Amino acid sequence: MKKREVIAMLLAGGQGTRLGILTRKLAKPAVPFGGKYRIIDFPLSNCSNSGIYTVGVLTQYQPLILNSYIGIGSHWDLDKKHGGVTVLPPYVRHDGGHWYLGTANAVYQNIEFVDQYNPEYVLILSGDHIYKMDYSKMIDFHKEKDADVTIAVIEVPWEETHRFGIMNTEADNKIVEFEEKPKKAKNNLASMGVYVFEWKKLRNALIEDDLDSNSDHDFGKNVIPKMLEEKQKVYAYPFEHYWKDVGTIESLWQANMDLLDDSPELNLYEKDWKIYSVNPNQPVQYIGKEASVKKSLVNEGCQVHGAIEKSVLFPGVVVGEGSVIKDSVIMSDVTIGDNVIIERSIIGEECTIEDHCQIGQPGVGQEGITVLGENVVASKGKNIPAGVEINIDNCHEFGCCPNGVEHKEVER
Amino acid sequence: MKNVVGIINDTDIKQKLKDLTRARSTAAVPFGGRYRIIDFVLSNMANSGIKNIGILTQSYNRSLLDHVDSGKEWDLLSKRDGLFILPPIFRYDQFTGNLGDVDHYYNHMDYLNRSRQEYILISNSNIIYNMDYREIEAFYHQKKADVVMVYKNLSESEKTNYRILSLLLDNNERVHDMADARDKMLSPAAALEIAFMKKSLFMQLIDDCIARGYRDFTKDGLIKNLHRYKIFAYEHKGYAAKIDSIRTYYAHSMDLLKPEVWKDVFLSHGTISTKVKDEPPAKYQESAKVNNSLLANGCHVAGIVENSILSRGVVVHAGATVRNSIVMQKGQIHEGAVVENAIIDKDVVITSGKQIIGDTEYPMVVEKQAVI
């Protein structure tokens, strides 16, 4: 196989448990975002735009949607004669096999895949974050510092340092200490989960880590602290643009809302750094005679007859007359009837909200984002309080039912 | 319809489209916000299961070639069959100034000879509609026809003063007369310039025309043979519109603002595919006021948009107004500008305070890349 200087390994097997019902049937990297994308579009587009055309995608949890979405990678220009995108699920070998036990173990189990390309550097990415980053600059930095490992870091607010892996650095960005979720942080540089390794060094570290029965086989928890202990050269690469971990419902909602500013920090309209995705191929959106759309993102195939304010509409959403959608994220192919009110909610794919429903309106003692998982039907006049999470299993408790059962589809 | 080869004829440059066809063929004229005119016929063929499609092009074909590319968007990128571009062939022994469609077909007989399909569906490139061609195939067998054409009954309001190929049918839907005339129609049945027949018959008709120095497939190939072959016509009941002038372009674009037409054209039989641009969703700012309009992805609206169609990447700045207009890709309408009853071609910039106002019956056309 042809040698590659850099290959990327993209960790996409996480469940994202804190996203609750949104990741019931799909892995976190497949969670829809921004009216068009899935989270994994960001690292994949970054790879393609950075000139990294060999990407292994490590999958494990609920891979069906992710696999079919990635396909052969053509949407990200990653269908190549040599390399391109390769989906790497756990597999069975002659002496048995086991699941990926941790992020490091996932790469360990695919040493043969990496060896095929005999790379100098391996870029480790995660499929959990929203950001635009030129990895080639980070690799240049890595070479310049003659580092063994380079970790991309971002400044986070001091009060949030306990949520992140924090790097304590010297003046020239050399990392002296790595603290995973410290109670009292000494620094506010958080790891973005983006690492550049010398492949030879990483290869050895992974083999050692595999033999260590006390290890959780995790890059942040085990592999990197050990390399630091061994006085290997670990550097922090400061990143100063938009980066968001959308690990919770609140942060996913917030990251969507961030896009609605007049000039948002994350600019999706940049011609030279497009975020690619699988295009839905739907007709142009129709904004009706009585409609009003403000401070919102609306995708192809939508038919809007109501009022949309500070919201994100994925493809194929129908909004009836007199309905008001505010501060919400409406995923693909949701049908919303007339005179519906939806506030501060995330509505999953293919839900049907019939006439006169009210969703997510703040009442006494109720707050938070209201979430409807995919395929839920809220029948006429239902009132769904703020902060609840409804999916097809518990929807009966809220007087709703799964799509396709005992309901007439609202005509598109 | 695996046994059918599809031919799209884009050799006729509609001069009445004026500036819109100055640098592109009819098929490549942008339409409906994110499409080109050819997308409709091409998607209909692909959605009907035709796997082998040839496009006869004119000399101005760069934008068309760029648009259809390998045919991948229509699932026509395959090892066997797929999409074939049939460019004009200039031969010294042919009088190049006056080639008819027959000459173009004749020049590409090789392609037809080599294709393994038994039937052929030929269509002009400039019709906007959504149709399942399998209906034509079934009708052909049901009537035991030699040739099947497709027609639409025009209502009074749909009749134009341009040339229309009208058909005179009997109760059995057999064509008894056919005439290509301005003003006068034989009946309300207007042909959609589609024909379905055995490939061998088509090749024979072309040969017969060439042998006699005939140039026009409809007039010489079909009309002169009305009594020799059983020519039937199948009615298309959905929406269909022929784009052959600025007026029809403007009127039929505006038809898409009627939700029933939008649904018929875009969703009735299959989706209309087009070249993918990877644009983000359309963005509406706080000051945006948009009503009765179609917007493509990548648009950025801060001003007023009414009864209009905005293509991909159009920017309407705060304080700008776009009314009853079509703005093609990447148009920029700056603050205080007013665009009314206009067709703004690609990459046009309307600077602050400028007023571009046409008439509903005679829309103003601003040519590609103009800065006003």
Side-chain angles (χ1 to χ4, degrees):
Chain A
M1 196 76 79
K2 249 188 179 164
K3 182 180 167 66
R4 285 274 180 273
E5 190 191 21
V6 188
I7 77 162
M9 296 294 271
L10 173 52
L11 301 159
Q15 179 178 2
T17 33
R18 288 170 303 157
L19 284 170
I21 57 174
L22 292 176
T23 51
R24 216 167 136 267
K25 281 204 169 153
L26 41 79
K28 182 174 166 190
V31 168
F33 174 78
K36 169 163 192 183
Y37 310 95
R38 294 187 189 267
I39 297 172
I40 199 168
D41 287 330
F42 289 84
L44 285 177
S45 301
N46 287 340
C47 280
S48 179
N49 288 326
S50 303
I52 296 169
Y53 295 118
T54 306
V55 184
V57 180
L58 300 137
T59 61
Q60 176 155 288
Y61 174 79
Q62 284 286 18
L64 177 65
I65 289 173
L66 201 52
N67 285 348
S68 64
Y69 188 71
I70 295 170
I72 57 165
S74 44
H75 298 279
W76 303 269
D77 212 4
L78 290 170
D79 51 335
K80 300 289 175 192
K81 282 197 172 177
H82 299 284
V85 75
T86 309
V87 176
L88 302 166
Y91 58 96
V92 177
R93 63 199 85 219
H94 69 95
D95 55 353
H98 50 77
W99 297 107
Y100 294 153
L101 304 173
T103 51
N105 179 261
V107 179
Y108 168 79
Q109 292 201 41
N110 289 287
I111 281 180
E112 285 170 21
F113 169 79
V114 181
D115 277 344
Q116 286 183 104
Y117 299 99
N118 188 23
E120 300 295 320
Y121 311 106
V122 170
L123 176 69
I124 305 287
L125 303 170
S126 86
D128 298 353
H129 308 125
I130 305 289
Y131 64 115
K132 296 199 304 189
M133 181 178 184
D134 187 344
Y135 302 132
S136 67
K137 286 187 182 152
M138 181 178 174
I139 290 157
D140 290 344
F141 174 93
H142 177 89
K143 290 181 194 166
E144 195 187 297
K145 296 288 180 189
D146 193 23
D148 297 317
V149 191
T150 300
I151 301 173
V153 295
I154 189 155
E155 275 188 43
V156 293
W158 282 94
E159 61 272 19
E160 286 181 31
T161 46
H162 64 278
R163 290 177 44 214
F164 295 96
I166 296 294
M167 308 291 151
N168 298 326
T169 53
E170 284 176 347
D172 74 333
N173 287 324
K174 188 159 192 233
I175 297 172
V176 287
E177 194 187 0
F178 180 106
E179 287 182 285
E180 184 70 29
K181 299 182 180 153
K183 287 214 176 73
K184 243 189 155 177
K186 296 179 209 136
N187 204 348
N188 66 337
L189 291 178
S191 165
M192 293 163 58
V194 175
Y195 315 110
V196 176
F197 285 93
E198 295 287 308
W199 173 236
K200 284 192 193 107
K201 298 266 167 71
L202 175 62
R203 201 176 186 280
N204 291 335
L206 291 174
I207 292 168
E208 276 175 38
D209 175 74
D210 182 59
L211 298 171
D212 181 356
S213 54
N214 293 321
S215 174
D216 287 330
H217 311 293
D218 186 86
F219 280 108
K221 254 190 252 170
N222 313 104
V223 176
I224 290 166
K226 185 137 183 277
M227 289 173 104
L228 274 168
E229 235 170 68
E230 290 165 357
K231 300 278 180 245
Q232 298 207 37
K233 284 176 285 179
V234 185
Y235 278 84
Y237 173 74
F239 181 73
E240 280 153 0
H241 303 282
Y242 186 89
W243 176 84
K244 194 134 200 163
D245 180 3
V246 285
T248 61
I249 291 206
E250 179 75 31
S251 64
L252 178 69
W253 176 83
Q254 188 57 52
N256 276 289
M257 293 299 124
D258 288 348
L259 295 171
L260 304 178
D261 293 340
D262 282 353
S263 38
E265 246 191 285
L266 182 75
N267 179 10
L268 296 172
Y269 296 79
E270 206 182 334
K271 294 268 178 300
D272 299 330
W273 207 273
K274 277 192 178 175
I275 301 303
Y276 305 112
S277 67
V278 177
N279 286 274
N281 190 26
Q282 294 223 27
V284 281
Q285 54 190 275
Y286 176 67
I287 309 297
K289 288 187 177 132
E290 305 301 323
S292 141
V293 186
K294 287 178 190 304
K295 239 180 149 53
S296 294
L297 287 179
V298 180
N299 204 338
E300 288 164 355
C302 287
Q303 299 170 57
V304 178
H305 299 282
I308 314 292
E309 212 184 311
K310 278 200 80 182
S311 294
V312 175
L313 270 58
F314 280 75
V317 173
V318 182
V319 180
E321 284 169 23
S323 292
V324 179
I325 317 288
K326 217 172 144 188
D327 304 319
S328 295
V329 178
I330 316 291
M331 293 187 186
S332 306
D333 302 319
V334 170
T335 307
I336 297 169
D338 298 338
N339 303 307
V340 169
I341 299 177
I342 299 178
E343 273 182 52
R344 276 174 68 82
S345 298
I346 298 176
I347 310 292
E349 288 176 13
E350 291 176 44
C351 282
T352 303
I353 316 293
E354 295 182 357
D355 299 353
H356 300 287
C357 283
Q358 299 197 4
I359 296 175
Q361 277 190 301
V364 186
Q366 294 162 331
E367 51 184 30
I369 311 297
T370 311
V371 188
L372 261 66
E374 55 181 37
N375 277 307
V376 172
V377 179
S379 50
K380 204 168 174 178
K382 279 282 167 319
N383 189 344
I384 292 167
V388 300
E389 286 186 28
I390 301 178
N391 63 32
I392 53 170
D393 293 332
N394 73 354
C395 61
H396 296 284
E397 295 166 31
F398 297 90
C400 299
C401 61
N403 219 340
V405 185
E406 49 184 304
H407 92 281
K408 309 181 293 291
E409 201 172 329
V410 178
E411 203 211 333
R412 192 182 152 133
Chain B
M1 296 182 92
K2 265 173 79 178
N3 203 15
V4 178
V5 54
I7 298 284
I8 299 172
N9 178 7
D10 188 37
T11 56
D12 186 12
I13 305 287
K14 302 290 178 193
Q15 301 300 341
K16 288 206 176 73
L17 281 164
K18 293 179 185 166
D19 281 346
L20 300 184
T21 46
R22 179 170 296 177
R24 50 169 94 90
S25 67
T26 315
V29 172
F31 189 84
R34 60 190 290 271
Y35 303 94
R36 304 269 178 163
I37 289 176
I38 196 171
D39 291 340
F40 296 86
V41 174
L42 190 53
S43 301
N44 286 341
M45 285 190 177
N47 292 342
S48 303
I50 297 179
K51 304 283 183 202
N52 186 6
I53 298 174
I55 304 176
L56 283 161
T57 68
Q58 250 309 352
S59 45
Y60 278 127
N61 55 24
R62 188 202 51 82
S63 60
L64 180 68
L65 298 193
D66 177 45
H67 180 74
V68 298
D69 199 21
S70 62
K72 195 172 160 206
E73 292 305 332
W74 296 267
D75 244 338
L76 292 169
L77 179 62
S78 59
K79 293 206 169 178
R80 292 189 84 175
D81 296 336
L83 185 70
F84 294 85
I85 302 296
L86 311 173
I89 290 172
F90 297 105
R91 283 167 33 187
Y92 291 111
D93 59 333
Q94 277 178 347
F95 177 50
T96 48
N98 195 19
L99 290 186
D101 53 355
V102 166
D103 300 287
H104 291 288
Y105 292 127
Y106 184 73
N107 285 340
H108 289 287
M109 280 301 210
D110 257 4
Y111 165 68
L112 292 179
N113 252 326
R114 291 178 53 154
S115 55
R116 53 203 171 100
Q117 284 76 10
E118 192 183 343
Y119 295 93
I120 186 169
L121 181 82
I122 51 174
S123 172
N124 268 0
S125 58
N126 63 331
I127 303 181
I128 306 297
Y129 64 135
N130 192 328
M131 184 178 188
D132 187 344
Y133 293 144
R134 280 170 288 212
E135 294 168 13
I136 304 176
E137 192 184 33
F139 181 82
Y140 171 92
H141 292 297
Q142 182 206 325
K143 295 288 182 190
K144 298 191 168 54
D146 292 318
V147 179
V148 172
M149 301 177 70
V150 179
Y151 72 95
K152 181 177 160 51
N153 278 320
L154 294 190
S155 62
E156 272 312 310
S157 63
E158 285 171 311
K159 288 178 185 162
T160 65
N161 54 354
Y162 297 118
R163 302 192 85 86
I164 292 176
L165 180 64
S166 61
L167 309 176
L168 187 66
L169 309 174
D170 66 11
N171 290 337
N172 195 25
E173 289 173 293
R174 182 161 174 187
V175 181
H176 281 270
D177 198 4
M178 206 189 304
D180 184 15
R182 206 184 290 273
D183 300 330
K184 214 176 115 210
M185 288 179 73
L186 298 170
S187 82
L192 295 181
E193 297 176 29
I194 302 165
F196 179 88
M197 67 196 88
K198 276 219 158 106
K199 193 177 76 183
S200 54
L201 174 60
F202 177 74
M203 291 168 75
Q204 191 195 323
L205 288 173
I206 294 297
D207 267 340
D208 289 351
C209 285
I210 288 291
R212 289 165 180 78
Y214 296 157
R215 293 249 135 95
D216 187 315
F217 180 70
T218 308
K219 287 179 190 156
D220 303 321
L222 296 179
I223 296 179
K224 287 184 180 151
N225 284 317
L226 266 176
H227 301 291
R228 188 190 247 180
Y229 298 109
K230 286 174 284 173
I231 302 181
F232 283 80
Y234 178 74
E235 185 183 1
H236 173 63
K237 294 202 172 68
Y239 180 86
K242 197 161 118 187
I243 308 297
D244 52 9
S245 67
I246 289 291
R247 265 182 68 181
T248 49
Y249 177 82
Y250 181 74
H252 296 316
S253 295
M254 291 303 164
D255 281 349
L256 296 177
L257 294 176
K258 298 170 193 155
E260 67 279 8
V261 174
W262 186 92
K263 279 180 210 168
D264 185 316
V265 170
F266 293 122
L267 303 170
S268 59
H269 292 288
T271 43
I272 306 300
S273 299
T274 189
K275 186 183 181 183
V276 159
K277 294 276 185 190
D278 284 292
E279 293 279 3
K283 178 150 189 185
Y284 300 78
Q285 293 199 356
E286 183 74 53
S287 54
K289 202 176 166 303
V290 181
N291 296 103
N292 195 36
S293 294
L294 293 171
L295 284 86
N297 273 0
C299 284
H300 214 120
V301 181
I304 298 170
V305 179
E306 270 172 29
N307 310 325
S308 294
I309 299 173
L310 307 189
S311 302
R312 300 194 267 207
V314 168
V315 183
V316 179
H317 290 269
T321 305
V322 178
R323 210 173 271 129
N324 309 328
S325 294
I326 297 156
V327 185
M328 296 185 195
Q329 262 186 62
K330 295 186 198 148
Q332 294 179 33
I333 317 295
H334 285 274
E335 206 182 326
V338 177
V339 173
E340 221 175 287
N341 304 327
I343 299 170
I344 311 285
D345 208 329
K346 271 175 79 175
D347 297 314
V348 166
V349 181
I350 309 291
T351 57
S352 294
K354 290 289 185 311
Q355 305 220 337
I356 307 293
I357 300 179
D359 186 84
T360 41
E361 289 300 309
Y362 201 88
M364 187 155 195
V365 180
V366 177
E367 85 181 292
K368 204 171 157 180
Q369 290 166 341
V371 178
I372 295 178

